[in-house]
Structure formats: structure tokens, C-alpha cells
Amino acid sequence: MNLKEVLLVRYNMEITRLVAYKVWIASLLASEYIKGLGEFDPNYISLEGLHVSRVNIIASVIDVFKNLEKGYSSISLDDGSGVLKVKAWKEDLKLLDAVSIGELVLVIGKI
């Protein structure tokens, strides 16, 4: 049984994925970061009265960094309002393998 099934059977709790809000990078950078209290209370930013814990960003790749020895990669994204770095480690490295400078990408991720 996975965690979702255990919670549903034992506690009658269903886990649902939170909304990934479309936001500008500048809005992310200017917002206050609030750390969640536990495993089921996610970190978020407060943006126009919403608790945003997942984002949906469309931006151009302006830099790519790969350090395969240490199991780390990152890309820098620019949406015209600001620049944000997206990072990946170990098993998630394959997500950034095919990305190159100048490409337009859609990133959905947690705060």
C-alpha cells in the first residue's frame, strides 16, 4: 500500500495535488516565503491573498549548469520579469538533460 492508500483507509483522508498557479518570476521573488509546519503543510508564498505552494512558469532558458560528478544540475530561467534558478539532484537530473540555452520551457514545481 502506498501512502495515499494508507491515509485513505486508516484516516479517511484523501491527498489531492495543490493547484500550480501561473505566476511571474518577479512576483515569486518579491513575495514572502512561509515555511510549512509539517509534511502535509507545504511551504508557500502569499500572493494576492492566495497561499501559492506550486507554480506554473513559462520562460526562456538563459543558462545551463551541470555537475554530474556531484549529481547536480541547474538552469536559469527568464520570463521577462526576472530570473529564477531551477535545480535538480540525482534521479531528477534526466529532467534537465535535453534543455539548452534559448529554449522556451514550461516548469511546474513546488516552492
Side-chain angles (χ1 to χ4, degrees), residues 22-89:
K22 293 180 182 177
V23 297
W24 292 101
I25 291 174
S27 297
L28 284 176
L29 299 176
S31 299
E32 179 185 2
Y33 176 78
I34 298 154
K35 188 153 178 71
L37 300 175
E39 185 177 351
F40 297 108
D41 186 20
N43 304 332
Y44 64 92
I45 59 169
S46 183
L47 185 63
E48 297 179 12
L50 296 172
H51 288 187
V52 177
S53 60
R54 295 181 71 235
V55 295
N56 179 339
I57 297 172
I58 298 174
S60 296
V61 177
I62 61 170
D63 187 42
V64 176
F65 174 80
K66 295 179 183 180
N67 187 337
L68 300 178
E69 292 173 2
K70 293 188 178 181
Y72 166 77
S73 288
S74 70
I75 57 174
S76 295
L77 303 177
D78 186 344
D79 69 353
S81 72
V83 176
L84 181 72
K85 189 173 280 195
V86 174
K87 299 176 184 178
W89 291 268

Side-chain angles (χ1 to χ4, degrees), residues 64 66 68 73 75 88 92-100 103:
V64 176
K66 295 179 183 180
L68 300 178
S73 288
I75 57 174
D92 293 329
L93 289 175
K94 63 183 178 257
L95 297 172
L96 301 181
D97 274 348
V99 178
S100 58
E103 288 187 319

